Amino acid sequence: MRLMRPSGENRTDDDDALLRAVAQGDAAALAALYDRHAGWLFARLSRRCADPETVREVLQDTFVTAWRSAGAHRGGQAGGWLWVIAARRLVDAQRAEARTERATLAEQAEGTGWSAVAPSAEERVLAGLEYADVGAALDRISPELREVLRATVIDGLTTRETAQLLGIPEGTVKTRAMRARRELRAALDRLTPGGEPLGGMA
């Protein structure tokens, strides 16, 4: 598989034209976009995940998502947009795998009489961002702050990747992330007075 990375003004213009065609349902344009970007996406995903089967599944899911959401592309380099999708899909895949492993360990523990493996502090924080008090607190902060917090904390994206995903400057991502943490802590205080600070939110 050849490693190809988008570069140059002509390549960017071509990518934009391909994405517009994909948004209109042009399967040939999607194939061309795949040929242009799949190689370097595979290589970059492989640096984050040692399982080639998972990488292949994530890559396929990335282009399925691109097919479905090309119309929502807000400009910027197509490669960056595709990488943000791929990074999110990889996080989803790794979390699903971790949940499966925990369930397997729990079943084995039941069969042997051992106690189940307790989730790590990070896992408890990430789970809390979707459920219980923290989920309710998230609903109380403004949507633009909530989407930054979800991208950077739940999806594990970098500041640059979040900026590309949301179509805002990196400085705005940093500012909103700080404000989001302050508002989330305040919302949590209202929901659980006297509670301990949430790990990773300080």
Side-chain angles (χ1 to χ4, degrees):
M1 183 178 293
R2 289 187 302 163
L3 300 184
M4 302 173 63
R5 184 177 293 277
S7 62
E9 186 175 344
N10 291 337
R11 163 92 18 129
T12 300
D13 291 343
D14 289 347
D15 282 345
D16 289 343
L18 286 173
L19 277 175
R20 287 194 296 270
V22 170
Q24 294 171 2
D26 188 335
L30 180 67
L33 199 68
Y34 181 93
D35 289 342
R36 182 171 290 184
H37 293 281
W40 72 265
L41 281 169
F42 186 91
R44 191 169 179 185
L45 286 167
S46 296
R47 290 198 290 270
R48 292 194 175 192
C49 177
D51 180 11
E53 183 60 32
T54 297
V55 171
R56 283 190 288 270
E57 289 176 1
V58 167
L59 187 64
Q60 180 179 356
D61 195 21
T62 296
F63 283 94
V64 170
T65 302
W67 171 257
R68 293 172 177 168
S69 58
H73 181 242
R74 302 180 183 180
Q77 290 192 355
W81 182 68
L82 288 169
W83 171 245
V84 169
I85 295 173
R88 277 193 158 184
R89 294 298 171 266
L90 182 59
V91 168
D92 291 343
Q94 290 173 330
R95 285 187 185 148
E97 183 178 352
R99 284 194 296 270
T100 300
E101 289 178 358
R102 288 197 298 271
T104 300
L105 287 172
E107 288 176 4
Q108 291 173 348
E110 271 188 39
T112 60
W114 295 351
S115 60
V117 177
S120 68
E122 181 183 19
E123 289 168 342
R124 291 196 299 271
V125 170
L126 291 174
L129 285 171
E130 292 292 351
Y131 305 107
D133 289 338
V134 185
L138 272 176
D139 291 338
R140 297 190 175 202
I141 68 176
S142 57
E144 67 272 14
L145 300 185
R146 183 167 60 244
E147 66 183 3
V148 166
L149 200 60
R150 287 187 180 279
T152 55
V153 177
I154 296 178
D155 294 328
L157 301 182
T158 65
T159 298
R160 175 175 296 182
E161 290 164 352
T162 300
Q164 291 172 338
L165 174 70
L166 301 179
I168 58 179
E170 291 182 36
T172 303
V173 171
K174 294 176 182 177
T175 301
R176 288 185 182 178
M178 288 188 293
R179 286 177 53 202
R181 283 167 168 77
R182 286 197 299 268
E183 290 197 13
L184 182 60
R185 283 197 297 268
L188 278 170
D189 287 342
R190 289 193 293 272
L191 286 169
T192 55
E196 295 180 359
L198 175 66
M201 291 293 102

